[in-house]
């Protein structure tokens, strides 16, 4: 899937509104997601940068003291052991600005979500036949 120029521009606009140190973190998480889900497309959904593959894959957003990462409840539930020490809820986790991003964990969660969305899409396709 090819990323539309408009989606990239809009996400770049979203990122550019933050201070340079926050922009750096946003670019970093975006890069990790792109590498883990190279066929996903980018868009803005719920006013957040979103990666889409057979449905919303993950969202991320900057807040006052953290980057919010939203991989759906399954993305949190299947990685709770690796997210210890981070504030989280059913479908979100907070990565504080003053800590390095957990790159490997983010990548694993995104890969899990790619597999999950792909499987769900295949199951829906089988039911239609």
């Amino acid at each position: 899937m090819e990323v539309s120029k408009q989606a990239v521009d809009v996400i770049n606009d979203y990122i550019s509104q933050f201070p340079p140190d926050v922009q750096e973190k946003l670019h970093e998480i975006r890069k990790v997601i792109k590498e883990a889900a190279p066929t996903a497309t980018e868009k803005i959904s719920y006013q957040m940068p979103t990666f889409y593959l057979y449905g919303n894959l993950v969202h991320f957003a900057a807040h006052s003291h953290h980057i919010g990462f939203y991989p759906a409840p399954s993305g949190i539930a299947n990685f709770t052991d690796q997210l210890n020490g981070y504030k989280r809820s059913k479908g979100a986790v907070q990565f504080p600005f003053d800590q390095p991003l957990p790159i490997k964990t983010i990548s694993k969660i995104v890969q899990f979500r790619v597999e999950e969305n792909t499987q769900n899409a295949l199951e829906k396709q089988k039911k239609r036949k």
Side-chain angles (χ1 to χ4, degrees):
M1 291 183 186
E2 194 171 303
V3 176
S4 77
K5 178 84 169 108
Q6 183 179 13
V8 171
D9 287 346
V10 172
I11 291 176
N12 284 335
D13 289 346
Y14 173 89
I15 292 172
S16 71
Q17 69 185 329
F18 296 97
D21 58 329
V22 176
Q23 287 183 36
E24 187 176 319
K25 293 253 185 200
L26 291 168
H27 283 299
E28 185 178 8
I29 196 167
R30 183 183 189 188
K31 180 180 182 229
V32 171
I33 297 167
K34 278 183 173 184
E35 289 172 355
T39 59
T41 58
E42 293 181 279
K43 66 179 188 173
I44 295 288
S45 184
Y46 302 105
Q47 288 104 32
M48 295 182 283
T50 301
F51 281 77
Y52 184 91
L53 182 68
Y54 306 114
N56 289 336
L57 193 63
V58 297
H59 310 275
F60 64 96
H63 298 280
S64 55
H65 301 288
H66 67 274
I67 301 283
F69 181 59
Y70 309 91
S74 60
I76 299 296
N78 285 281
F79 293 89
T80 55
D81 58 328
Q82 295 175 47
L83 296 171
N84 283 334
Y86 294 103
K87 188 174 180 182
R88 61 184 189 268
S89 65
K90 183 178 175 182
V93 61
Q94 297 179 4
F95 301 128
F97 290 143
D98 63 354
Q99 296 178 21
L101 289 170
I103 301 301
K104 288 181 183 177
T105 300
I106 293 168
S107 181
K108 287 179 188 177
I109 292 171
V110 173
Q111 290 169 3
F112 169 82
R113 292 285 297 129
V114 165
E115 188 174 316
E116 182 177 54
N117 275 17
T118 302
Q119 284 301 113
N120 288 342
L122 289 172
E123 287 173 19
K124 284 180 185 178
Q125 193 174 46
K126 285 179 186 177
K127 287 180 184 177
R128 287 185 202 145
K129 290 182 179 183

